[in-house]
Amino acid sequence: MNRFLSIATAAALCLGAGTAFAQTQGKLKVGFMLPYTGTFAALGTAIENGFRLYADENGGKIGGREIEFVKVDDESEPSKATDNVNKLIKRDNVDVIVGTVHSGVALAMAKAAKESNTLLIVPNAGADAVTGPMCAPNIFRTSFSNWQPAYAMGLVAAEKQKHKTAVTLTWKYAAGDESVRGFKEGFESKGGKVLKELSVPFPNVEFQALLTEIAAMKPDAVYVFFAGGGAVKFVKDYAAAGLKDRIPLYGAGFLTDGTLEAQGEAANGLLTTLHYADDLGNPKDKVFRTNYAKTYKLQPDVYAVQGYDAAQLLATGLAAAKGDFSKRDVVVKAMETAKVDSPRGAFTMSTSHNPIQDIYLRKVEGKVNRNIGLAAKALADPARGCKL
Ligand code: PHB
């Protein structure tokens, strides 16, 4: 009897170990929640492309694990965000969520991820709160906070460009508001003055009335936050209104990233600030750009880089746990202390899990965002309100 019991116990133990083994070695389920339609559609695709490129370069694996992907189109629609993220968490039971582009959607995702303790890697959305008051051990960002490029542009506009006054213009939502706030903080800290903050609802592209208002106000400079399809339309409208040669236009670099083919001559010469440029020329970037272009028959942009780095960060975490995702604290610790060898230049994570990174001043030359100098070195988001 005893003997039988012990055999049964041993069998049960074996079964247990076998299950754990299978869990470790089975596919890791990654849920992409990204915009595949609307003004940010191209951004979502670039992020997914970048993420997949890293897996392709590593035999289809991330941190030694086979990957299964599931996808949700979030449409950059905050009102659908909670339902959409719960499809990934509750229906699909994903291990990791990668998303998204739009700050309003990302805020709902961060809340759901925090409540369910699902690992979330944000590959774009800059919502300051994600690595501010909502920061959490299971939430990481491989992109930027809205404050980062905007604050750097404020410094450049005042110190390097010697502007005294500016008008700002953005879509009215978290990312635009925070971008304008960051610009204003940088600009006014160096003696500049923001005369007026203009906005249009997201994702509207009716700019005429506001361009007329700007022309009448004659500020020294204009600072804007637009991206994707809206950025294409804005840059063309600004030039068509005859403002480009009269009032210098500046932006967070999303204004001219992934958009230059469509913007054409209207973008030529524009100055923007961002954590990436098209001609950085470091060894990692060279390989990345070559492989991306070969795989997708497209030039990469900042969004592709951020997606690629989301995969690299996850790989670092998984590799530290030898692929065992159930060792969550080992995974998280490795992600927190990672030095990500990014095409943008290596970066580390702040204690709030946002990249500490160089912000480049870029100038559009033809179809290229050329790096013309550093706007801010190793800039860390202030992470106001984060307690980790
Ligand atoms: C955002 O909503 O945070 C956002 C969207 C598009 C960008 C950058 C930031 O290019």
Side-chain angles (χ1 to χ4, degrees):
M1 182 69 179
N2 269 348
R3 196 164 154 253
F4 271 105
L5 249 185
S6 66
I7 287 171
T9 312
L13 276 174
C14 269
L15 205 70
T19 310
F21 185 74
Q23 272 170 5
T24 313
Q25 297 305 312
K27 288 189 176 177
L28 189 86
K29 216 168 182 187
V30 174
F32 287 125
M33 179 155 153
L34 292 166
Y36 294 104
T37 52
T39 200
F40 291 156
L43 289 58
T45 301
I47 289 166
E48 181 177 338
N49 286 349
F51 195 97
R52 285 181 183 272
L53 179 64
Y54 179 82
D56 290 350
E57 289 174 352
N58 291 277
K61 293 184 181 173
I62 291 188
R65 289 284 298 272
E66 301 266 357
I67 306 295
E68 178 185 348
F69 292 111
V70 283
K71 287 164 63 157
V72 167
D73 176 8
D74 68 41
E75 305 168 47
S76 296
E77 181 48 72
S79 68
K80 298 183 184 170
T82 302
D83 282 350
N84 278 331
V85 73
N86 279 328
K87 285 181 195 156
L88 294 176
I89 296 171
K90 297 188 176 150
R91 182 192 66 189
D92 300 332
N93 245 312
V94 300
D95 296 301
V96 185
I97 301 173
V98 175
T100 188
V101 169
H102 183 287
S103 274
V105 177
L107 289 169
M109 293 174 72
K111 184 164 182 286
K114 200 168 177 171
E115 283 166 8
S116 61
N117 195 28
T118 311
L119 184 64
L120 169 65
I121 305 178
V122 179
N124 185 69
D128 291 343
V130 167
T131 55
M134 301 179 79
C135 71
N138 61 310
I139 299 177
F140 287 83
R141 181 152 56 194
T142 58
S143 50
F144 57 91
S145 73
N146 288 320
W147 179 88
Q148 282 178 306
Y151 175 78
M153 190 76 247
L155 300 180
V156 169
E159 290 185 310
K160 185 170 162 45
Q161 303 299 102
K162 313 258 180 256
H163 296 311
K164 296 276 177 257
T165 61
V167 167
T168 63
L169 173 55
T170 181
W171 277 314
K172 184 82 199 143
Y173 80 112
D177 291 345
E178 291 171 359
S179 188
V180 163
R181 208 179 303 146
F183 172 80
K184 186 171 172 168
E185 186 182 330
F187 190 55
E188 297 197 340
S189 74
K190 302 296 173 190
K193 177 84 194 134
V194 170
L195 301 177
K196 191 150 192 191
E197 299 176 21
L198 301 170
S199 62
V200 291
F202 178 87
N204 281 16
V205 289
E206 296 310 319
F207 303 121
Q208 283 315 323
L210 297 171
L211 293 176
T212 305
E213 192 174 341
I214 288 169
M217 286 183 73
K218 299 191 179 67
D220 290 351
V222 171
Y223 173 82
V224 300
F225 169 88
F226 291 109
V232 171
K233 171 84 164 42
F234 180 79
V235 164
K236 287 181 148 184
D237 284 6
Y238 198 82
L243 286 174
K244 190 172 167 219
D245 299 324
R246 286 168 46 204
I247 309 174
L249 174 64
Y250 302 95
F254 316 110
L255 187 66
T256 60
D257 228 89
T259 55
L260 292 176
E261 286 292 335
Q263 286 164 333
E265 185 50 34
N268 214 19
L270 291 182
L271 295 184
T272 64
T273 42
L274 204 63
H275 47 287
Y276 188 59
D278 295 321
D279 64 339
L280 293 179
N282 64 63
K284 183 80 181 181
D285 191 45
K286 278 190 181 157
V287 175
F288 169 75
R289 293 189 74 90
T290 305
N291 288 350
Y292 191 94
K294 225 186 266 171
T295 307
Y296 303 108
K297 315 283 177 249
L298 267 177
Q299 288 305 310
D301 55 22
V302 70
Y303 309 104
V305 170
Q306 294 166 171
Y308 187 82
D309 290 343
Q312 294 208 85
L313 183 66
L314 179 59
T316 303
L318 277 170
K322 302 201 166 39
D324 186 350
F325 191 67
S326 68
K327 295 195 175 132
R328 178 69 82 81
D329 26 344
V330 177
V331 173
V332 163
K333 184 93 212 140
M335 289 170 72
E336 284 177 333
T337 53
K339 182 166 182 186
V340 180
D341 186 13
S342 172
R344 78 190 79 173
F347 69 83
T348 55
M349 284 285 161
S350 68
T351 49
S352 67
H353 299 176
N354 190 67
I356 300 172
Q357 56 194 343
D358 293 345
I359 306 291
Y360 306 102
L361 177 61
R362 306 113 48 87
K363 182 174 187 181
V364 176
E365 286 180 24
K367 297 288 151 60
V368 175
N369 284 291
R370 208 168 284 297
N371 171 24
I372 60 165
L374 262 191
K377 176 94 194 132
L379 189 64
D381 180 83
R384 295 167 185 132
C386 170
K387 290 184 195 70
L388 262 187

